[in-house]
Amino acid sequence: MDKESLKNQFKTWLYYKVSEFNDLGYTTIETEDLAHYFADYRWKKNLPENLFEQIVQINQLNINEYFDFESLEAQTNKEITLEDINLSELF
């Protein structure tokens, strides 16, 4: 499943999860970020068979699991330099 189709199919649940993360103070996370997480990480090798299980997994995502993924992305991405990182978003 590609990111764009995932984003369109689960728009409501992704917006709900983004809203939940925003309420926790993580305002830079967007639906595209969560679609990237599910398409390229969580469901890359094992897509749940039914729609209900996919929705449950979206709803059960917590901020720690998402940041584990972001941490892995940062460690394996060779294209980002220190000049590209906007540290002001962290404060």
Side-chain angles (χ1 to χ4, degrees):
M1 177 177 287
D2 66 63
K3 287 177 249 188
E4 216 37 57
S5 65
L6 188 144
K7 186 178 153 191
N8 291 332
Q9 183 176 3
F10 298 106
K11 183 189 320 185
T12 303
W13 294 279
L14 292 174
Y15 279 121
Y16 168 76
K17 191 49 72 171
V18 166
S19 156
E20 179 183 322
F21 289 167
N22 286 341
D23 290 345
L24 293 172
Y26 303 102
T27 57
T28 58
I29 299 173
E30 298 180 357
T31 57
E32 291 82 13
D33 301 322
L34 296 182
H36 175 62
Y37 167 81
F38 282 102
D40 293 339
Y41 182 69
R42 181 98 180 242
W43 296 341
K44 184 174 184 175
K45 294 182 181 177
N46 187 17
L47 179 67
E49 291 182 18
N50 61 41
L51 180 63
F52 177 75
E53 183 60 34
Q54 293 169 1
I55 293 168
V56 167
Q57 286 189 10
I58 291 171
N59 287 329
Q60 288 179 341
L61 175 66
N62 65 45
I63 197 68
N64 290 331
E65 291 172 337
Y66 177 73
F67 278 130
D68 286 346
F69 163 72
E70 284 293 328
S71 175
L72 285 172
E73 285 282 297
Q75 292 173 16
T76 59
N77 191 346
K78 308 278 189 232
E79 298 176 16
I80 296 178
T81 63
L82 289 176
E83 290 80 28
D84 296 334
I85 299 172
N86 184 2
L87 298 177
S88 65
E89 291 180 1
L90 299 175
F91 302 102

Coordinates of all heavy atoms in Angstrom, one line a residue:
M1 N 0.9 -1.2 0.0 CA 0.0 0.0 0.0 C 0.9 1.2 0.0 O 1.8 1.4 0.8 CB -0.9 0.0 1.2 CG -1.8 1.2 1.4 SD -2.9 1.1 2.8 CE -4.1 -0.1 2.2
D2 N 0.7 2.1 -1.0 CA 1.5 3.3 -1.0 C 0.9 4.4 0.0 O -0.2 4.3 0.4 CB 1.6 3.9 -2.4 CG 0.3 4.4 -3.0 OD1 -0.2 5.3 -2.4 OD2 -0.1 3.8 -4.0
K3 N 1.8 5.4 0.2 CA 1.4 6.4 1.2 C 0.2 7.2 0.8 O -0.6 7.6 1.7 CB 2.6 7.4 1.4 CG 3.7 6.8 2.2 CD 4.9 7.8 2.2 CE 6.0 7.2 1.4 NZ 7.2 7.9 1.5
E4 N 0.1 7.6 -0.4 CA -1.1 8.4 -0.9 C -2.4 7.7 -0.7 O -3.4 8.2 -0.3 CB -0.8 8.8 -2.3 CG -1.3 10.2 -2.7 CD -1.1 11.3 -1.7 OE1 0.0 11.6 -1.3 OE2 -2.2 11.9 -1.4
S5 N -2.4 6.4 -1.1 CA -3.7 5.6 -1.0 C -4.0 5.4 0.5 O -5.2 5.4 0.9 CB -3.6 4.3 -1.8 OG -2.7 3.5 -1.3
L6 N -3.0 5.1 1.3 CA -3.2 4.9 2.7 C -3.7 6.2 3.3 O -4.7 6.2 4.1 CB -1.8 4.6 3.3 CG -1.9 4.1 4.8 CD1 -0.9 3.0 5.1 CD2 -1.6 5.3 5.7
K7 N -3.1 7.3 2.9 CA -3.6 8.6 3.5 C -5.0 8.9 3.1 O -5.8 9.4 3.9 CB -2.7 9.7 2.9 CG -3.0 11.1 3.5 CD -2.0 12.1 2.9 CE -2.6 13.5 3.0 NZ -1.8 14.4 2.2
N8 N -5.4 8.6 1.9 CA -6.8 8.8 1.5 C -7.8 7.8 2.1 O -8.9 8.2 2.6 CB -6.9 8.7 0.0 CG -6.3 9.8 -0.7 OD1 -6.1 10.9 -0.2 ND2 -5.7 9.6 -1.9
Q9 N -7.4 6.6 2.2 CA -8.3 5.5 2.8 C -8.5 5.7 4.3 O -9.6 5.5 4.8 CB -7.7 4.1 2.6 CG -8.6 3.0 3.0 CD -8.1 1.6 2.7 OE1 -7.0 1.5 2.1 NE2 -8.8 0.6 3.1
F10 N -7.5 6.2 5.0 CA -7.6 6.3 6.5 C -7.5 7.7 6.9 O -7.1 8.0 8.1 CB -6.4 5.5 7.1 CG -6.5 4.0 6.8 CD1 -5.6 3.4 5.9 CD2 -7.4 3.2 7.4 CE1 -5.7 2.1 5.7 CE2 -7.5 1.9 7.2 CZ -6.6 1.3 6.3
K11 N -8.0 8.6 6.1 CA -7.9 10.1 6.4 C -8.5 10.4 7.8 O -7.9 11.1 8.6 CB -8.7 10.9 5.3 CG -8.6 12.3 5.5 CD -9.5 13.2 4.6 CE -9.6 12.7 3.2 NZ -10.3 13.5 2.3
T12 N -9.7 9.9 8.1 CA -10.3 10.2 9.3 C -9.5 9.8 10.5 O -9.3 10.5 11.5 CB -11.7 9.6 9.4 OG1 -12.5 10.0 8.3 CG2 -12.4 9.9 10.7
W13 N -9.0 8.6 10.5 CA -8.3 8.0 11.6 C -6.9 8.7 11.8 O -6.4 8.9 12.9 CB -8.2 6.5 11.5 CG -9.5 5.9 11.6 CD1 -10.2 5.6 12.8 CD2 -10.4 5.5 10.6 NE1 -11.5 5.1 12.5 CE2 -11.6 5.0 11.1 CE3 -10.3 5.5 9.2 CZ2 -12.6 4.5 10.3 CZ3 -11.3 5.0 8.4 CH2 -12.5 4.5 9.0
L14 N -6.3 9.0 10.6 CA -5.0 9.7 10.7 C -5.1 11.1 11.3 O -4.3 11.5 12.1 CB -4.3 9.7 9.3 CG -3.9 8.4 8.7 CD1 -3.4 8.6 7.3 CD2 -2.8 7.8 9.6
Y15 N -6.2 11.8 10.9 CA -6.5 13.1 11.5 C -6.7 13.0 12.9 O -6.3 13.9 13.7 CB -7.6 13.8 10.8 CG -7.3 14.5 9.5 CD1 -7.9 14.1 8.3 CD2 -6.3 15.5 9.4 CE1 -7.6 14.7 7.1 CE2 -6.0 16.1 8.2 CZ -6.6 15.7 7.0 OH -6.3 16.3 5.8
Y16 N -7.5 12.0 13.4 CA -7.7 11.8 14.8 C -6.4 11.6 15.5 O -6.2 12.2 16.6 CB -8.6 10.6 15.0 CG -8.7 10.1 16.4 CD1 -9.5 10.8 17.3 CD2 -8.0 9.0 16.8 CE1 -9.6 10.4 18.7 CE2 -8.1 8.6 18.2 CZ -8.9 9.3 19.1 OH -8.9 8.9 20.4
K17 N -5.5 10.8 15.0 CA -4.3 10.5 15.7 C -3.4 11.7 15.7 O -2.7 12.0 16.7 CB -3.5 9.3 15.0 CG -2.4 8.8 15.7 CD -2.6 8.5 17.2 CE -3.5 7.3 17.4 NZ -3.5 6.9 18.9
V18 N -3.3 12.5 14.6 CA -2.6 13.8 14.6 C -3.1 14.7 15.6 O -2.4 15.4 16.4 CB -2.6 14.4 13.2 CG1 -2.1 15.8 13.2 CG2 -1.8 13.6 12.2
S19 N -4.4 14.8 15.7 CA -5.1 15.6 16.7 C -4.7 15.2 18.1 O -4.4 16.0 19.0 CB -6.6 15.6 16.5 OG -7.2 15.9 17.7
E20 N -4.6 13.9 18.4 CA -4.2 13.4 19.7 C -2.8 13.8 20.0 O -2.5 14.2 21.1 CB -4.4 11.9 19.7 CG -3.9 11.2 21.0 CD -4.0 9.7 20.9 OE1 -5.0 9.2 20.3 OE2 -3.2 9.0 21.5
F21 N -1.9 13.6 19.0 CA -0.5 14.0 19.2 C -0.3 15.5 19.4 O 0.5 16.0 20.2 CB 0.4 13.5 18.1 CG 0.6 12.0 18.0 CD1 1.1 11.4 16.9 CD2 0.3 11.2 19.1 CE1 1.3 10.1 16.8 CE2 0.5 9.8 19.0 CZ 1.0 9.3 17.9
N22 N -1.1 16.3 18.7 CA -1.1 17.8 18.9 C -1.5 18.1 20.3 O -1.0 19.0 20.9 CB -2.0 18.5 17.9 CG -1.4 18.5 16.5 OD1 -0.3 18.3 16.3 ND2 -2.3 18.7 15.5
D23 N -2.5 17.5 20.8 CA -3.0 17.7 22.2 C -1.9 17.4 23.2 O -1.9 18.0 24.3 CB -4.2 16.9 22.5 CG -5.5 17.4 21.8 OD1 -5.4 18.5 21.2 OD2 -6.5 16.6 21.7
L24 N -1.0 16.5 22.9 CA 0.1 16.1 23.7 C 1.3 17.1 23.6 O 2.3 17.0 24.3 CB 0.6 14.7 23.5 CG -0.4 13.6 23.8 CD1 0.1 12.2 23.3 CD2 -0.6 13.5 25.3
G25 N 1.2 18.0 22.6 CA 2.2 19.0 22.4 C 3.1 18.8 21.2 O 4.0 19.6 21.0
Y26 N 2.8 17.8 20.5 CA 3.7 17.5 19.3 C 3.0 18.0 18.1 O 2.3 17.3 17.3 CB 3.9 15.9 19.2 CG 4.5 15.4 20.4 CD1 3.8 14.7 21.4 CD2 5.9 15.5 20.6 CE1 4.4 14.2 22.5 CE2 6.5 15.0 21.8 CZ 5.7 14.3 22.7 OH 6.3 13.8 23.8
T27 N 3.1 19.3 17.8 CA 2.4 20.0 16.8 C 3.0 19.9 15.4 O 2.3 20.3 14.5 CB 2.2 21.5 17.2 OG1 3.5 22.0 17.4 CG2 1.4 21.7 18.5
T28 N 4.2 19.3 15.3 CA 4.8 19.3 13.9 C 4.4 18.0 13.2 O 4.8 17.8 12.1 CB 6.3 19.4 14.1 OG1 6.8 18.4 14.9 CG2 6.7 20.8 14.6
I29 N 3.8 17.0 13.9 CA 3.4 15.8 13.2 C 2.1 16.0 12.4 O 1.2 16.5 12.9 CB 3.2 14.7 14.3 CG1 4.4 14.4 15.1 CG2 2.7 13.4 13.7 CD1 4.3 13.5 16.3
E30 N 2.2 15.5 11.2 CA 1.1 15.6 10.2 C 0.6 14.3 9.7 O 1.3 13.3 9.9 CB 1.5 16.6 9.1 CG 1.9 18.0 9.5 CD 2.3 18.8 8.4 OE1 2.4 18.4 7.2 OE2 2.6 20.0 8.7
T31 N -0.5 14.3 9.0 CA -1.0 13.0 8.5 C 0.0 12.4 7.5 O 0.1 11.1 7.5 CB -2.4 13.2 7.8 OG1 -2.2 14.2 6.7 CG2 -3.4 13.7 8.7
E32 N 0.7 13.1 6.8 CA 1.7 12.6 5.8 C 2.8 11.8 6.6 O 3.3 10.8 6.1 CB 2.4 13.7 5.0 CG 1.5 14.4 4.0 CD 0.6 15.5 4.6 OE1 0.9 15.9 5.8 OE2 -0.3 15.9 4.0
D33 N 3.2 12.3 7.8 CA 4.2 11.6 8.6 C 3.6 10.3 9.1 O 4.4 9.3 9.1 CB 4.5 12.5 9.8 CG 5.1 13.8 9.4 OD1 5.8 13.9 8.4 OD2 4.8 14.8 10.1
L34 N 2.4 10.2 9.5 CA 1.8 9.0 10.0 C 1.6 8.0 8.8 O 1.8 6.8 9.0 CB 0.5 9.2 10.7 CG 0.6 10.0 12.0 CD1 -0.7 10.2 12.7 CD2 1.7 9.4 12.9
A35 N 1.2 8.5 7.7 CA 1.1 7.6 6.5 C 2.4 7.0 6.1 O 2.5 5.9 5.8 CB 0.5 8.4 5.3
H36 N 3.5 7.8 6.2 CA 4.8 7.4 5.9 C 5.2 6.3 6.9 O 5.8 5.2 6.6 CB 5.8 8.5 6.0 CG 7.2 8.1 5.9 ND1 7.8 7.6 4.8 CD2 8.3 8.3 6.8 CE1 9.1 7.3 4.9 NE2 9.4 7.8 6.2
Y37 N 4.9 6.5 8.2 CA 5.2 5.5 9.3 C 4.5 4.1 8.9 O 5.2 3.1 9.0 CB 4.7 6.0 10.6 CG 4.7 4.9 11.7 CD1 5.8 4.6 12.4 CD2 3.5 4.3 12.0 CE1 5.8 3.6 13.4 CE2 3.4 3.3 13.0 CZ 4.6 3.0 13.7 OH 4.6 2.0 14.7
F38 N 3.2 4.2 8.6 CA 2.5 2.9 8.4 C 2.9 2.3 7.0 O 3.1 1.1 7.0 CB 1.0 3.1 8.4 CG 0.5 3.2 9.8 CD1 0.2 4.4 10.4 CD2 0.3 2.1 10.6 CE1 -0.3 4.5 11.7 CE2 -0.1 2.1 11.9 CZ -0.4 3.4 12.5
A39 N 3.0 3.1 6.0 CA 3.4 2.5 4.7 C 4.8 2.0 4.6 O 5.0 0.9 4.0 CB 3.1 3.6 3.6
D40 N 5.7 2.7 5.2 CA 7.1 2.3 5.0 C 7.8 1.6 6.2 O 8.9 1.1 6.1 CB 8.0 3.6 4.7 CG 7.6 4.2 3.4 OD1 7.1 3.4 2.5 OD2 7.9 5.4 3.2
Y41 N 7.0 1.4 7.3 CA 7.6 0.8 8.5 C 6.7 -0.3 9.1 O 7.0 -1.4 9.0 CB 7.9 1.9 9.5 CG 8.6 1.4 10.8 CD1 9.9 0.8 10.7 CD2 7.9 1.4 12.0 CE1 10.5 0.4 11.9 CE2 8.5 0.9 13.1 CZ 9.8 0.4 13.1 OH 10.3 -0.1 14.2
R42 N 5.6 0.2 9.6 CA 4.7 -0.8 10.4 C 4.1 -1.8 9.4 O 4.0 -3.0 9.8 CB 3.6 0.0 11.1 CG 2.7 -0.8 11.9 CD 3.1 -0.7 13.3 NE 2.2 -1.5 14.2 CZ 1.5 -1.0 15.2 NH1 1.5 0.3 15.4 NH2 0.7 -1.8 15.9
W43 N 3.6 -1.4 8.3 CA 2.9 -2.4 7.4 C 3.8 -2.7 6.1 O 3.2 -3.3 5.2 CB 1.6 -1.8 6.9 CG 0.6 -1.6 8.0 CD1 0.6 -2.1 9.3 CD2 -0.5 -0.7 8.0 NE1 -0.4 -1.7 10.0 CE2 -1.2 -0.8 9.3 CE3 -1.1 0.1 7.1 CZ2 -2.3 -0.1 9.6 CZ3 -2.2 0.8 7.4 CH2 -2.8 0.7 8.6
K44 N 5.0 -2.4 6.2 CA 5.9 -2.7 5.0 C 5.9 -4.2 4.6 O 5.8 -4.5 3.5 CB 7.3 -2.2 5.3 CG 8.2 -2.3 4.1 CD 9.6 -1.7 4.4 CE 10.5 -1.8 3.2 NZ 11.7 -1.1 3.4
K45 N 6.0 -5.0 5.6 CA 6.1 -6.5 5.4 C 4.9 -7.2 5.8 O 4.6 -8.3 5.3 CB 7.3 -7.1 6.1 CG 8.6 -6.6 5.6 CD 9.8 -7.2 6.3 CE 11.1 -6.6 5.7 NZ 12.3 -7.2 6.4
N46 N 4.1 -6.7 6.7 CA 2.9 -7.4 7.2 C 1.7 -6.5 7.3 O 1.4 -6.0 8.4 CB 3.3 -8.0 8.6 CG 2.2 -8.9 9.1 OD1 1.4 -9.4 8.4 ND2 2.3 -9.2 10.4
L47 N 1.0 -6.3 6.2 CA -0.2 -5.5 6.2 C -1.3 -6.3 6.8 O -1.6 -7.5 6.4 CB -0.6 -5.1 4.8 CG -1.8 -4.3 4.6 CD1 -1.7 -2.9 5.2 CD2 -2.1 -4.2 3.1
P48 N -2.0 -5.8 7.8 CA -3.2 -6.6 8.4 C -4.2 -6.9 7.3 O -4.4 -6.1 6.4 CB -3.7 -5.6 9.4 CG -2.6 -4.7 9.8 CD -1.8 -4.6 8.5
E49 N -4.8 -8.1 7.4 CA -5.7 -8.5 6.3 C -7.0 -7.8 6.3 O -7.5 -7.5 5.2 CB -5.9 -10.0 6.5 CG -4.7 -10.9 6.3 CD -5.0 -12.3 6.4 OE1 -6.2 -12.7 6.4 OE2 -4.1 -13.1 6.5
N50 N -7.5 -7.4 7.4 CA -8.8 -6.8 7.3 C -8.8 -5.3 7.8 O -7.8 -4.9 8.5 CB -9.9 -7.5 8.1 CG -9.6 -7.6 9.6 OD1 -9.1 -6.6 10.2 ND2 -9.8 -8.7 10.2
L51 N -9.7 -4.5 7.3 CA -9.8 -3.1 7.5 C -9.9 -2.8 9.0 O -9.2 -1.9 9.5 CB -11.0 -2.5 6.8 CG -11.2 -1.0 6.9 CD1 -10.0 -0.3 6.3 CD2 -12.5 -0.6 6.3
F52 N -10.6 -3.6 9.8 CA -10.8 -3.3 11.2 C -9.5 -3.4 11.9 O -9.2 -2.5 12.7 CB -11.8 -4.3 11.8 CG -11.9 -4.2 13.3 CD1 -12.7 -3.1 13.8 CD2 -11.3 -5.1 14.1 CE1 -12.8 -3.0 15.2 CE2 -11.5 -4.9 15.5 CZ -12.2 -3.9 16.0
E53 N -8.6 -4.4 11.6 CA -7.3 -4.5 12.3 C -6.4 -3.3 11.9 O -5.6 -2.9 12.7 CB -6.7 -5.8 11.9 CG -5.4 -6.1 12.6 CD -5.4 -6.1 14.1 OE1 -6.4 -6.5 14.7 OE2 -4.4 -5.7 14.7
Q54 N -6.5 -2.9 10.7 CA -5.7 -1.7 10.3 C -6.1 -0.5 11.1 O -5.2 0.3 11.5 CB -5.9 -1.5 8.8 CG -5.3 -2.6 7.9 CD -5.7 -2.5 6.5 OE1 -6.4 -1.6 6.0 NE2 -5.2 -3.4 5.7
I55 N -7.4 -0.3 11.2 CA -7.9 0.9 12.0 C -7.5 0.8 13.5 O -7.0 1.8 14.1 CB -9.4 1.0 11.8 CG1 -9.7 1.4 10.4 CG2 -10.0 2.1 12.8 CD1 -11.2 1.3 10.1
V56 N -7.6 -0.4 14.0 CA -7.1 -0.7 15.4 C -5.7 -0.3 15.6 O -5.3 0.4 16.5 CB -7.4 -2.1 15.8 CG1 -6.7 -2.5 17.1 CG2 -8.9 -2.3 16.0
Q57 N -4.8 -0.7 14.6 CA -3.4 -0.4 14.7 C -3.1 1.1 14.7 O -2.2 1.6 15.3 CB -2.6 -1.2 13.7 CG -2.5 -2.6 14.0 CD -1.5 -3.4 13.1 OE1 -0.8 -2.8 12.3 NE2 -1.5 -4.7 13.2
I58 N -3.9 1.8 13.8 CA -3.7 3.3 13.8 C -4.1 3.9 15.1 O -3.4 4.7 15.6 CB -4.6 3.9 12.6 CG1 -4.0 3.4 11.3 CG2 -4.6 5.4 12.7 CD1 -4.8 3.8 10.1
N59 N -5.2 3.4 15.6 CA -5.7 4.0 16.9 C -4.8 3.7 18.1 O -4.7 4.4 19.1 CB -7.1 3.6 17.2 CG -8.1 4.2 16.3 OD1 -7.9 5.4 15.9 ND2 -9.2 3.6 16.0
Q60 N -4.1 2.5 18.0 CA -3.2 2.1 19.1 C -1.8 2.7 19.0 O -1.0 2.6 20.0 CB -3.1 0.6 19.1 CG -4.4 -0.1 19.6 CD -4.2 -1.6 19.6 OE1 -3.4 -2.2 19.0 NE2 -5.1 -2.3 20.3
L61 N -1.5 3.4 18.0 CA -0.2 4.0 17.8 C 0.0 5.0 19.0 O -0.8 5.8 19.2 CB 0.0 4.7 16.5 CG 1.3 5.4 16.3 CD1 2.5 4.5 16.2 CD2 1.2 6.2 15.0
N62 N 1.2 4.9 19.7 CA 1.5 5.9 20.7 C 2.7 6.7 20.3 O 3.4 6.3 19.3 CB 1.6 5.2 22.1 CG 2.8 4.3 22.2 OD1 3.9 4.6 21.7 ND2 2.6 3.1 22.8
I63 N 2.9 7.8 20.9 CA 4.0 8.7 20.5 C 5.4 8.1 20.6 O 6.2 8.3 19.8 CB 3.9 10.0 21.3 CG1 4.7 11.1 20.7 CG2 4.3 9.8 22.8 CD1 4.1 11.6 19.4
N64 N 5.6 7.2 21.6 CA 6.9 6.5 21.7 C 7.2 5.6 20.5 O 8.3 5.6 20.0 CB 6.9 5.7 23.0 CG 6.9 6.5 24.2 OD1 7.4 7.7 24.2 ND2 6.4 6.0 25.3
E65 N 6.2 4.9 20.0 CA 6.4 4.0 18.9 C 6.7 4.9 17.6 O 7.6 4.6 16.8 CB 5.2 3.2 18.6 CG 4.9 2.1 19.6 CD 3.5 1.4 19.3 OE1 2.7 2.0 18.7 OE2 3.4 0.3 19.8
Y66 N 6.0 6.0 17.5 CA 6.3 6.9 16.4 C 7.7 7.5 16.4 O 8.4 7.5 15.4 CB 5.2 8.0 16.3 CG 5.5 9.0 15.2 CD1 5.3 8.6 13.9 CD2 6.0 10.2 15.4 CE1 5.6 9.4 12.8 CE2 6.3 11.1 14.4 CZ 6.1 10.7 13.1 OH 6.4 11.5 12.1
F67 N 8.1 7.9 17.6 CA 9.4 8.5 17.7 C 10.5 7.5 17.6 O 11.6 7.8 17.2 CB 9.5 9.3 19.0 CG 9.0 10.7 18.9 CD1 8.1 11.2 19.8 CD2 9.3 11.5 17.8 CE1 7.5 12.5 19.7 CE2 8.7 12.8 17.7 CZ 7.9 13.3 18.6
D68 N 10.3 6.2 18.0 CA 11.2 5.2 17.7 C 11.5 5.1 16.2 O 12.6 5.0 15.7 CB 10.7 3.8 18.2 CG 10.8 3.7 19.7 OD1 11.5 4.5 20.3 OD2 10.2 2.8 20.2
F69 N 10.4 5.2 15.4 CA 10.5 5.2 13.9 C 11.3 6.4 13.5 O 12.2 6.3 12.6 CB 9.1 5.1 13.3 CG 9.1 5.5 11.9 CD1 9.6 4.7 10.9 CD2 8.5 6.7 11.5 CE1 9.6 5.0 9.6 CE2 8.5 7.1 10.1 CZ 9.0 6.2 9.2
E70 N 10.9 7.6 14.0 CA 11.6 8.8 13.6 C 13.1 8.7 13.9 O 14.0 9.2 13.1 CB 11.0 10.0 14.2 CG 9.7 10.4 13.6 CD 9.8 10.9 12.2 OE1 10.9 11.5 11.8 OE2 8.9 10.7 11.4
S71 N 13.4 8.1 15.0 CA 14.8 8.0 15.4 C 15.6 7.1 14.4 O 16.7 7.4 14.0 CB 14.9 7.4 16.8 OG 16.2 7.1 17.2
L72 N 14.9 5.9 14.1 CA 15.6 5.1 13.1 C 15.7 5.8 11.7 O 16.8 5.6 11.1 CB 14.7 3.8 12.9 CG 14.7 2.8 14.0 CD1 13.7 1.7 13.7 CD2 16.1 2.2 14.1
E73 N 14.8 6.5 11.3 CA 14.8 7.3 10.1 C 16.0 8.3 10.1 O 16.8 8.4 9.2 CB 13.5 8.1 9.8 CG 12.4 7.2 9.4 CD 12.5 6.9 7.9 OE1 12.5 7.8 7.1 OE2 12.6 5.7 7.6
A74 N 16.2 9.0 11.2 CA 17.3 9.9 11.4 C 18.6 9.3 11.4 O 19.6 9.8 10.8 CB 17.1 10.7 12.7
Q75 N 18.7 8.1 11.9 CA 20.0 7.4 12.0 C 20.4 6.8 10.6 O 21.6 6.6 10.4 CB 19.9 6.3 13.0 CG 19.9 6.8 14.4 CD 19.6 5.6 15.4 OE1 19.8 4.5 15.1 NE2 19.2 6.0 16.6
T76 N 19.4 6.4 9.8 CA 19.7 5.8 8.6 C 19.7 6.7 7.4 O 20.1 6.3 6.3 CB 18.7 4.6 8.3 OG1 17.4 5.1 8.3 CG2 18.9 3.5 9.4
N77 N 19.2 7.9 7.5 CA 19.1 8.9 6.4 C 20.4 9.6 6.3 O 20.9 10.3 7.1 CB 18.0 9.9 6.7 CG 17.7 10.7 5.5 OD1 18.5 10.8 4.5 ND2 16.6 11.4 5.5
K78 N 21.1 9.4 5.2 CA 22.4 10.0 4.9 C 22.3 11.4 4.3 O 23.3 12.0 4.2 CB 23.2 9.0 3.9 CG 23.3 7.6 4.4 CD 24.3 7.4 5.4 CE 24.5 5.9 5.6 NZ 24.5 5.5 6.9
E79 N 21.2 11.8 3.8 CA 21.1 13.0 3.1 C 20.9 14.3 4.0 O 21.2 15.4 3.6 CB 19.9 13.0 2.2 CG 20.0 11.9 1.1 CD 18.7 11.8 0.3 OE1 17.9 12.7 0.3 OE2 18.6 10.8 -0.4
I80 N 20.6 14.1 5.3 CA 20.4 15.2 6.1 C 21.7 15.6 6.8 O 22.4 14.8 7.4 CB 19.3 14.9 7.2 CG1 18.0 14.7 6.5 CG2 19.2 16.0 8.2 CD1 16.9 14.3 7.5
T81 N 22.0 16.9 6.7 CA 23.2 17.4 7.4 C 22.7 18.3 8.6 O 21.5 18.6 8.7 CB 24.0 18.3 6.5 OG1 23.3 19.4 6.1 CG2 24.5 17.5 5.3
L82 N 23.6 18.7 9.5 CA 23.2 19.5 10.6 C 22.6 20.9 10.2 O 21.8 21.4 10.9 CB 24.4 19.8 11.5 CG 24.9 18.5 12.3 CD1 26.1 18.9 13.1 CD2 23.8 18.1 13.2
E83 N 23.1 21.4 9.0 CA 22.5 22.6 8.5 C 21.1 22.5 8.1 O 20.3 23.4 8.1 CB 23.3 23.1 7.3 CG 24.7 23.6 7.7 CD 25.7 22.5 7.9 OE1 25.6 21.4 7.2 OE2 26.7 22.6 8.7
D84 N 20.6 21.3 7.8 CA 19.3 21.0 7.3 C 18.3 20.9 8.5 O 17.1 21.0 8.3 CB 19.2 19.8 6.4 CG 20.0 19.9 5.2 OD1 20.2 21.0 4.7 OD2 20.4 18.8 4.6
I85 N 18.8 20.6 9.6 CA 17.9 20.4 10.8 C 17.5 21.7 11.4 O 18.3 22.5 11.8 CB 18.6 19.5 11.8 CG1 19.0 18.1 11.2 CG2 17.7 19.3 13.1 CD1 19.8 17.3 12.1
N86 N 16.2 21.9 11.6 CA 15.7 23.1 12.2 C 15.5 22.8 13.7 O 14.5 22.3 14.1 CB 14.4 23.5 11.6 CG 13.8 24.8 12.1 OD1 14.5 25.4 13.0 ND2 12.7 25.2 11.6
L87 N 16.5 23.2 14.5 CA 16.4 22.9 16.0 C 15.4 23.8 16.7 O 15.0 23.5 17.8 CB 17.8 23.0 16.6 CG 18.8 22.0 16.0 CD1 20.2 22.3 16.7 CD2 18.4 20.6 16.3
S88 N 15.0 24.9 16.1 CA 14.1 25.8 16.7 C 12.7 25.1 17.0 O 12.0 25.5 17.9 CB 13.9 27.1 15.9 OG 13.3 26.8 14.7
E89 N 12.4 24.1 16.2 CA 11.1 23.4 16.4 C 11.1 22.6 17.7 O 10.0 22.2 18.1 CB 10.8 22.5 15.2 CG 10.5 23.2 13.9 CD 10.3 22.2 12.8 OE1 10.3 21.0 13.0 OE2 10.0 22.6 11.6
L90 N 12.2 22.3 18.2 CA 12.3 21.5 19.4 C 12.1 22.3 20.7 O 11.8 21.7 21.7 CB 13.7 20.8 19.5 CG 14.0 19.9 18.4 CD1 15.4 19.4 18.5 CD2 13.1 18.7 18.3
F91 N 12.2 23.6 20.6 CA 12.0 24.5 21.8 C 10.8 25.3 21.7 O 10.3 25.7 20.8 CB 13.3 25.3 21.9 CG 14.5 24.5 22.0 CD1 15.4 24.4 21.0 CD2 14.9 23.9 23.2 CE1 16.6 23.6 21.1 CE2 16.0 23.1 23.3 CZ 16.9 23.0 22.2

